[in-house]
mmCIF file of all heavy atoms in Angstrom:
data_model
loop_
_atom_site.group_PDB
_atom_site.id
_atom_site.type_symbol
_atom_site.label_atom_id
_atom_site.label_comp_id
_atom_site.label_asym_id
_atom_site.label_seq_id
_atom_site.Cartn_x
_atom_site.Cartn_y
_atom_site.Cartn_z
ATOM 1 N N PHE A 4 120.117 140.211 118.090
ATOM 2 C CA PHE A 4 120.154 139.691 119.562
ATOM 3 C C PHE A 4 119.650 140.737 120.528
ATOM 4 O O PHE A 4 118.762 140.486 121.340
ATOM 5 C CB PHE A 4 121.590 139.199 119.957
ATOM 6 C CG PHE A 4 121.661 138.874 121.410
ATOM 7 C CD1 PHE A 4 120.981 137.780 121.950
ATOM 8 C CD2 PHE A 4 122.484 139.604 122.214
ATOM 9 C CE1 PHE A 4 120.977 137.478 123.251
ATOM 10 C CE2 PHE A 4 122.531 139.237 123.583
ATOM 11 C CZ PHE A 4 121.825 138.127 124.151
ATOM 12 N N LYS A 110 142.234 99.851 132.969
ATOM 13 C CA LYS A 110 143.306 100.013 132.060
ATOM 14 C C LYS A 110 142.806 99.956 130.570
ATOM 15 O O LYS A 110 143.307 100.537 129.706
ATOM 16 C CB LYS A 110 144.461 99.110 132.196
ATOM 17 C CG LYS A 110 144.248 97.653 131.895
ATOM 18 C CD LYS A 110 145.564 96.858 131.926
ATOM 19 C CE LYS A 110 145.282 95.496 131.409
ATOM 20 N NZ LYS A 110 145.795 94.397 132.000
ATOM 21 N N LYS A 138 128.309 85.142 125.005
ATOM 22 C CA LYS A 138 127.880 84.633 126.315
ATOM 23 C C LYS A 138 126.364 84.821 126.702
ATOM 24 O O LYS A 138 125.760 84.467 127.622
ATOM 25 C CB LYS A 138 128.684 85.193 127.304
ATOM 26 C CG LYS A 138 130.078 84.623 127.491
ATOM 27 C CD LYS A 138 130.120 83.331 128.433
ATOM 28 C CE LYS A 138 131.229 82.447 128.229
ATOM 29 N NZ LYS A 138 132.606 82.993 128.254
ATOM 30 N N LEU A 143 119.266 85.787 126.801
ATOM 31 C CA LEU A 143 119.340 86.279 128.143
ATOM 32 C C LEU A 143 120.517 86.503 128.686
ATOM 33 O O LEU A 143 121.652 85.834 128.400
ATOM 34 C CB LEU A 143 118.481 85.254 129.023
ATOM 35 C CG LEU A 143 117.072 84.931 128.565
ATOM 36 C CD1 LEU A 143 116.518 83.805 129.493
ATOM 37 C CD2 LEU A 143 116.189 86.107 128.558
ATOM 38 N N ARG A 153 124.514 83.506 133.913
ATOM 39 C CA ARG A 153 124.134 84.548 134.806
ATOM 40 C C ARG A 153 125.342 85.137 135.628
ATOM 41 O O ARG A 153 125.551 86.303 135.736
ATOM 42 C CB ARG A 153 122.963 84.090 135.699
ATOM 43 C CG ARG A 153 122.259 85.125 136.489
ATOM 44 C CD ARG A 153 121.288 84.504 137.577
ATOM 45 N NE ARG A 153 122.098 84.055 138.641
ATOM 46 C CZ ARG A 153 122.613 84.612 139.578
ATOM 47 N NH1 ARG A 153 122.478 85.876 139.745
ATOM 48 N NH2 ARG A 153 123.242 84.013 140.569
ATOM 49 N N GLY A 237 113.229 93.363 132.136
ATOM 50 C CA GLY A 237 113.315 94.701 132.820
ATOM 51 C C GLY A 237 112.386 95.569 132.345
ATOM 52 O O GLY A 237 112.788 96.624 131.688
ATOM 53 N N ASP A 256 114.259 106.186 129.103
ATOM 54 C CA ASP A 256 114.651 106.372 127.583
ATOM 55 C C ASP A 256 113.309 106.742 126.880
ATOM 56 O O ASP A 256 112.363 105.915 127.093
ATOM 57 C CB ASP A 256 115.242 105.146 127.063
ATOM 58 C CG ASP A 256 115.670 105.156 125.591
ATOM 59 O OD1 ASP A 256 114.713 105.629 124.780
ATOM 60 O OD2 ASP A 256 116.817 104.823 125.237
ATOM 61 N N ASN A 257 113.146 107.871 126.168
ATOM 62 C CA ASN A 257 111.883 108.188 125.713
ATOM 63 C C ASN A 257 111.440 107.425 124.534
ATOM 64 O O ASN A 257 110.379 107.572 123.950
ATOM 65 C CB ASN A 257 111.689 109.732 125.505
ATOM 66 C CG ASN A 257 112.652 110.175 124.451
ATOM 67 O OD1 ASN A 257 113.834 110.051 124.537
ATOM 68 N ND2 ASN A 257 112.128 110.889 123.468
ATOM 69 N N THR A 263 101.677 106.416 123.567
ATOM 70 C CA THR A 263 101.117 107.689 124.108
ATOM 71 C C THR A 263 101.505 108.098 125.454
ATOM 72 O O THR A 263 101.103 109.147 126.010
ATOM 73 C CB THR A 263 99.562 107.653 124.089
ATOM 74 O OG1 THR A 263 99.117 106.644 124.961
ATOM 75 C CG2 THR A 263 98.986 107.480 122.734
ATOM 76 N N SER A 267 108.266 113.256 129.425
ATOM 77 C CA SER A 267 108.176 114.550 130.087
ATOM 78 C C SER A 267 107.291 114.522 131.400
ATOM 79 O O SER A 267 107.591 115.310 132.343
ATOM 80 C CB SER A 267 107.710 115.684 129.045
ATOM 81 O OG SER A 267 106.466 115.137 128.473
ATOM 82 N N LYS A 269 106.786 111.723 133.133
ATOM 83 C CA LYS A 269 107.490 110.863 134.173
ATOM 84 C C LYS A 269 108.503 111.615 134.951
ATOM 85 O O LYS A 269 108.680 111.271 136.169
ATOM 86 C CB LYS A 269 108.001 109.686 133.419
ATOM 87 C CG LYS A 269 106.981 108.874 132.697
ATOM 88 C CD LYS A 269 107.575 107.700 132.063
ATOM 89 C CE LYS A 269 106.591 107.100 131.120
ATOM 90 N NZ LYS A 269 105.407 106.474 131.734
ATOM 91 N N HIS A 283 117.709 108.905 128.682
ATOM 92 C CA HIS A 283 118.295 108.716 127.225
ATOM 93 C C HIS A 283 117.299 109.469 126.341
ATOM 94 O O HIS A 283 116.160 109.153 126.283
ATOM 95 C CB HIS A 283 118.244 107.249 126.963
ATOM 96 C CG HIS A 283 119.573 106.555 127.362
ATOM 97 N ND1 HIS A 283 119.677 105.206 127.126
ATOM 98 C CD2 HIS A 283 120.577 107.009 127.836
ATOM 99 C CE1 HIS A 283 120.836 104.871 127.457
ATOM 100 N NE2 HIS A 283 121.478 106.046 127.886
ATOM 101 N N ILE A 309 112.772 119.803 133.113
ATOM 102 C CA ILE A 309 114.090 119.839 133.734
ATOM 103 C C ILE A 309 114.240 121.264 134.192
ATOM 104 O O ILE A 309 114.717 121.557 135.470
ATOM 105 C CB ILE A 309 115.231 119.553 132.763
ATOM 106 C CG1 ILE A 309 115.016 118.066 132.249
ATOM 107 C CG2 ILE A 309 116.589 119.667 133.447
ATOM 108 C CD1 ILE A 309 116.009 117.608 131.140
ATOM 109 N N ARG A 311 112.065 123.990 134.568
ATOM 110 C CA ARG A 311 111.156 124.743 135.399
ATOM 111 C C ARG A 311 110.988 124.165 136.887
ATOM 112 O O ARG A 311 110.515 124.695 137.739
ATOM 113 C CB ARG A 311 109.798 125.004 134.829
ATOM 114 C CG ARG A 311 109.019 123.795 134.379
ATOM 115 C CD ARG A 311 107.846 124.056 133.544
ATOM 116 N NE ARG A 311 107.180 122.883 133.288
ATOM 117 C CZ ARG A 311 106.251 122.881 132.226
ATOM 118 N NH1 ARG A 311 105.861 123.904 131.669
ATOM 119 N NH2 ARG A 311 105.575 121.811 131.936
ATOM 120 N N ALA A 314 115.752 121.462 138.109
ATOM 121 C CA ALA A 314 116.175 120.109 138.273
ATOM 122 C C ALA A 314 117.467 119.967 137.228
ATOM 123 O O ALA A 314 117.877 118.800 136.899
ATOM 124 C CB ALA A 314 115.263 119.020 137.974
ATOM 125 N N ASP A 323 120.834 109.156 123.174
ATOM 126 C CA ASP A 323 120.786 107.729 122.724
ATOM 127 C C ASP A 323 120.083 107.523 121.366
ATOM 128 O O ASP A 323 118.876 107.388 121.434
ATOM 129 C CB ASP A 323 120.240 106.817 123.787
ATOM 130 C CG ASP A 323 120.300 105.381 123.468
ATOM 131 O OD1 ASP A 323 121.072 105.017 122.584
ATOM 132 O OD2 ASP A 323 119.693 104.432 124.006
ATOM 133 N N LYS A 358 103.402 129.405 135.987
ATOM 134 C CA LYS A 358 103.107 128.585 137.183
ATOM 135 C C LYS A 358 102.059 129.294 137.953
ATOM 136 O O LYS A 358 101.138 128.673 138.473
ATOM 137 C CB LYS A 358 104.339 128.172 137.754
ATOM 138 C CG LYS A 358 104.213 127.234 138.999
ATOM 139 C CD LYS A 358 105.602 126.851 139.491
ATOM 140 C CE LYS A 358 105.653 125.996 140.645
ATOM 141 N NZ LYS A 358 104.998 126.466 141.901
ATOM 142 N N GLU A 363 96.662 130.064 140.137
ATOM 143 C CA GLU A 363 95.518 130.922 140.462
ATOM 144 C C GLU A 363 94.225 130.595 139.614
ATOM 145 O O GLU A 363 93.326 131.433 139.605
ATOM 146 C CB GLU A 363 95.935 132.405 140.269
ATOM 147 C CG GLU A 363 97.002 132.810 141.288
ATOM 148 C CD GLU A 363 97.597 134.154 140.990
ATOM 149 O OE1 GLU A 363 97.362 134.766 140.019
ATOM 150 O OE2 GLU A 363 98.408 134.622 141.911
ATOM 151 N N GLN A 373 100.956 131.056 126.790
ATOM 152 C CA GLN A 373 101.769 129.887 126.203
ATOM 153 C C GLN A 373 101.873 130.063 124.693
ATOM 154 O O GLN A 373 102.835 129.655 124.065
ATOM 155 C CB GLN A 373 101.136 128.508 126.653
ATOM 156 C CG GLN A 373 101.596 128.157 128.032
ATOM 157 C CD GLN A 373 101.072 126.776 128.512
ATOM 158 O OE1 GLN A 373 99.877 126.500 128.240
ATOM 159 N NE2 GLN A 373 101.787 126.034 129.229
ATOM 160 N N GLU A 387 123.129 133.843 118.947
ATOM 161 C CA GLU A 387 123.955 134.555 119.881
ATOM 162 C C GLU A 387 124.770 133.557 120.701
ATOM 163 O O GLU A 387 125.850 133.670 120.952
ATOM 164 C CB GLU A 387 123.246 135.561 120.705
ATOM 165 C CG GLU A 387 124.155 136.297 121.681
ATOM 166 C CD GLU A 387 125.200 137.223 121.169
ATOM 167 O OE1 GLU A 387 125.019 137.429 119.931
ATOM 168 O OE2 GLU A 387 126.042 137.722 121.820
ATOM 169 N N ASN A 408 137.008 114.671 102.677
ATOM 170 C CA ASN A 408 138.468 114.436 102.918
ATOM 171 C C ASN A 408 138.790 113.092 103.715
ATOM 172 O O ASN A 408 139.787 112.534 103.630
ATOM 173 C CB ASN A 408 139.056 115.554 103.681
ATOM 174 C CG ASN A 408 138.970 116.840 102.749
ATOM 175 O OD1 ASN A 408 138.816 116.773 101.679
ATOM 176 N ND2 ASN A 408 138.913 118.024 103.490
ATOM 177 N N LEU A 410 135.876 110.586 105.366
ATOM 178 C CA LEU A 410 134.950 109.570 105.506
ATOM 179 C C LEU A 410 135.002 108.837 104.060
ATOM 180 O O LEU A 410 134.800 107.553 104.028
ATOM 181 C CB LEU A 410 133.473 110.068 105.783
ATOM 182 C CG LEU A 410 133.548 110.776 107.147
ATOM 183 C CD1 LEU A 410 131.919 111.166 107.414
ATOM 184 C CD2 LEU A 410 133.936 109.889 108.355
#
Side-chain angles (χ1 to χ4, degrees):
F4 172 63
K110 69 169 189 219
K138 285 266 161 53
L143 305 177
R153 197 188 66 80
D256 180 311
N257 61 307
T263 61
S267 52
K269 299 179 190 296
H283 268 180
I309 299 171
R311 64 191 177 194
D323 185 16
K358 185 173 180 296
E363 292 173 357
Q373 280 182 323
E387 176 65 14
N408 299 337
L410 302 180

